[in-house]
Amino acid sequence: MSTSGLSTLNPQLSTPLGGSHVREVHDEFHGDLLEVSMGPHHPSTHGVFRMIVTLDGERIVKLKPVFGYLHRNHEKLGENVSYLASMPYTDRLDYLCSMTNNWAYAIAVEKLAGQPVAERAEYLRVILAELTRLLNHTCLAGFLMQDCGCSGTPLMYAFREREKILDLFESLSGSRMMCNYQRFGGCRIDASPEWIAAAKKLTDGYGAFLDEFEALLTGNEIIMARTQGVGVLSPELAVNAGVTGPMLRATGVNYDLRKVDGYGVYPRFDFRVPLGAHGDVYDRYMIRVLEMRESIKILQQAFAGLPAGPIMDPKAKLRGFRPKAGEAYGRIEGPKGEIGFYLVSDGSPNPYRYRVRAPSFVNLTILEDMCLGQTVADAVIILGSVDIVLGEVDR
């Protein structure tokens, strides 16, 4: 492996400009190995994340993920503020998916308090969740192609569509990314007829974008050669490790909380759960593409069935909110997998215990298993296919 351009001030630990550290280690079974520290400031790690990779030539024989650089004390903060005050903090977990973060937390509090939700709000929650899924999966596909070494074209195509969805979020909630939109028992403000029309127009045109995107990438022989058979994850390991979301379904395991739990009004909609067969990087890409097409179907049904009426349950209480002593766990099928909130109430205005089940963190724990025997270049796209956001990993 070439180490040209590395500093020679310390031959045992050299530091390149790219943010990696390299040192030689010795193993009695493999002979001389090379230990490469990729990150925490490395363009391929999608945030402040570090991989300590041990190489035998170009092949990975050991990989240690290192997180914690972005820890923000989210859970302890949640135990020292009111239930409602935690809602905007959830935006900062997976900052691509604030609408779904809000929903998972709202469900946990509503379970804890026995709070019903207005029917129109249930439909709006589904609409915003599926728009978020489109946004997240589109960005994932764009970034993954960048990790594969493509030009910036797929990423720019992806960001072109992302901006349209963020514009919708901004016009509804007042913010593009930190939306703070959900409330216990409903939503903060109603969607206007003009907003509904704009969202429906975007939904109806999204299939054409996916056709264009797939024509560029899905059958591309270079993409297929780089991703098929790379980073294979078995269904047994995925289940045992608690992996959820597209990562799990790419292995062929049929598990989607929209079907399993039937939360919100999802049981009213007709959609299928796409499954993979090989559990490799290519399957993880294709699952996201197929899920976007299913999201379009859900959105079209939700717009068609959107009822009139209030967006907040008339008995919902936000100020002076004190749920009875007890515990609850609320979860949803977020774009990256199961995101859940565990709350314990002691009858005070603040949660006694506040715990987040973050899919990015759980899905990242099997990174080494997928990378063993692969090359350094493969590790980059395997990590990209996991789809992590460090705000959610470290919390």
Side-chain angles (χ1 to χ4, degrees):
M1 179 178 180
S2 172
T3 56
S4 60
L6 302 182
S7 169
T8 56
L9 294 176
N10 184 347
Q12 294 299 314
L13 182 60
S14 303
T15 307
L17 297 177
S20 299
H21 305 287
V22 179
R23 71 184 180 93
E24 291 185 0
V25 295
H26 183 78
D27 182 272
E28 60 179 318
F29 300 107
H30 294 89
D32 290 333
L33 302 178
L34 196 65
E35 188 176 274
V36 180
S37 179
M38 300 176 64
H41 298 289
H42 193 280
S44 70
T45 56
H46 297 271
V48 192
F49 170 65
R50 184 183 181 197
M51 295 186 293
I52 301 176
V53 185
T54 304
L55 301 172
D56 182 5
E58 278 286 329
R59 297 291 167 181
I60 296 171
V61 297
K62 184 178 179 182
L63 186 147
K64 179 182 178 182
V66 182
F67 0 94
Y69 296 98
L70 201 61
H71 180 58
R72 291 165 296 126
N73 213 26
H74 178 100
E75 292 170 351
K76 186 53 67 176
L77 283 171
E79 295 167 9
N80 288 276
V81 298
S82 69
Y83 286 88
L84 182 59
S86 285
M87 185 65 77
Y89 282 119
T90 67
D91 293 344
R92 275 77 177 170
L93 289 167
D94 179 356
Y95 36 78
L96 289 177
C97 304
S98 68
M99 290 292 190
T100 47
N101 298 344
N102 286 179
W103 193 5
Y105 178 61
I107 285 178
V109 177
E110 287 157 2
K111 282 186 175 181
L112 191 63
Q115 173 64 60
V117 182
E119 186 179 25
R120 181 174 174 85
E122 292 280 28
Y123 274 79
L124 287 175
R125 287 178 174 185
V126 168
I127 289 169
L128 294 168
E130 295 309 315
L131 286 173
T132 300
R133 204 175 313 277
L134 290 178
L135 181 155
N136 182 88
H137 289 357
T138 300
C139 289
L140 177 280
F143 282 124
L144 182 60
M145 295 306 114
Q146 191 91 337
D147 291 337
C148 285
C150 296
S151 68
T153 302
L155 183 61
M156 292 300 102
Y157 279 14
F159 267 57
R160 180 190 67 190
E161 303 306 310
R162 171 184 183 260
E163 290 303 303
K164 298 174 185 178
I165 298 176
L166 291 182
D167 286 345
L168 283 175
F169 287 174
E170 182 180 23
S171 64
L172 178 64
S173 70
S175 178
R176 290 163 58 80
M177 297 181 71
M178 312 302 174
C179 299
N180 185 22
Y181 179 72
Q182 312 285 353
R183 291 294 182 267
F184 316 136
C187 301
R188 178 160 54 89
I189 51 177
D190 200 357
S192 66
E194 293 77 17
W195 189 92
I196 296 295
K200 187 176 180 182
K201 180 179 178 181
L202 180 145
T203 300
D204 292 340
Y206 219 84
F209 158 69
L210 290 179
D211 292 341
E212 176 187 41
F213 204 65
E214 282 207 81
L216 179 66
L217 301 172
T218 299
N220 186 296
E221 61 183 31
I222 298 175
I223 297 299
M224 295 171 71
R226 284 286 285 118
T227 58
Q228 289 184 345
V230 174
V232 175
L233 174 63
S234 70
E236 295 78 15
L237 177 58
V239 171
N240 290 337
V243 171
T244 56
M247 284 278 293
L248 176 63
R249 292 188 287 275
T251 70
V253 177
N254 190 352
Y255 186 80
D256 187 314
L257 292 177
R258 293 173 296 177
K259 295 284 191 179
V260 174
D261 286 0
Y263 60 91
V265 289
Y266 275 112
R268 303 182 188 183
F269 305 130
D270 179 28
F271 65 99
R272 70 183 186 94
V273 178
L275 301 176
H278 306 95
D280 56 13
V281 172
Y282 188 80
D283 272 11
R284 291 194 279 276
Y285 158 74
M286 278 305 305
I287 287 295
R288 268 104 178 187
V289 172
L290 295 173
E291 284 191 0
M292 285 192 279
R293 296 195 182 276
E294 295 303 310
S295 290
I296 293 171
K297 296 178 185 177
I298 295 172
L299 284 164
Q300 290 171 339
Q301 294 172 72
F303 286 127
L306 180 64
I311 57 163
M312 282 292 294
D313 182 79
K315 296 181 180 179
K317 185 178 182 181
L318 298 180
R319 294 186 178 180
F321 182 75
R322 289 172 176 259
K324 294 180 181 179
E327 60 183 301
Y329 178 66
R331 63 180 187 172
I332 68 166
E333 184 65 41
K336 294 175 173 63
E338 177 184 332
I339 177 168
F341 290 82
Y342 172 67
L343 301 173
V344 177
S345 170
D346 59 0
S348 68
N350 305 343
Y352 173 78
R353 184 71 174 96
Y354 178 108
R355 172 71 175 167
V356 183
R357 196 272 185 200
S360 289
F361 173 76
V362 177
N363 293 350
L364 195 56
T365 58
I366 42 80
L367 181 62
E368 180 183 42
D369 300 273
M370 295 189 293
C371 289
L372 291 178
Q374 306 289 330
T375 66
V376 177
D378 292 336
V380 170
I381 65 172
I382 292 168
L383 174 63
S385 72
V386 176
D387 190 13
I388 62 170
V389 164
L390 267 297
E392 186 178 80
V393 171
D394 291 339
R395 304 188 297 286

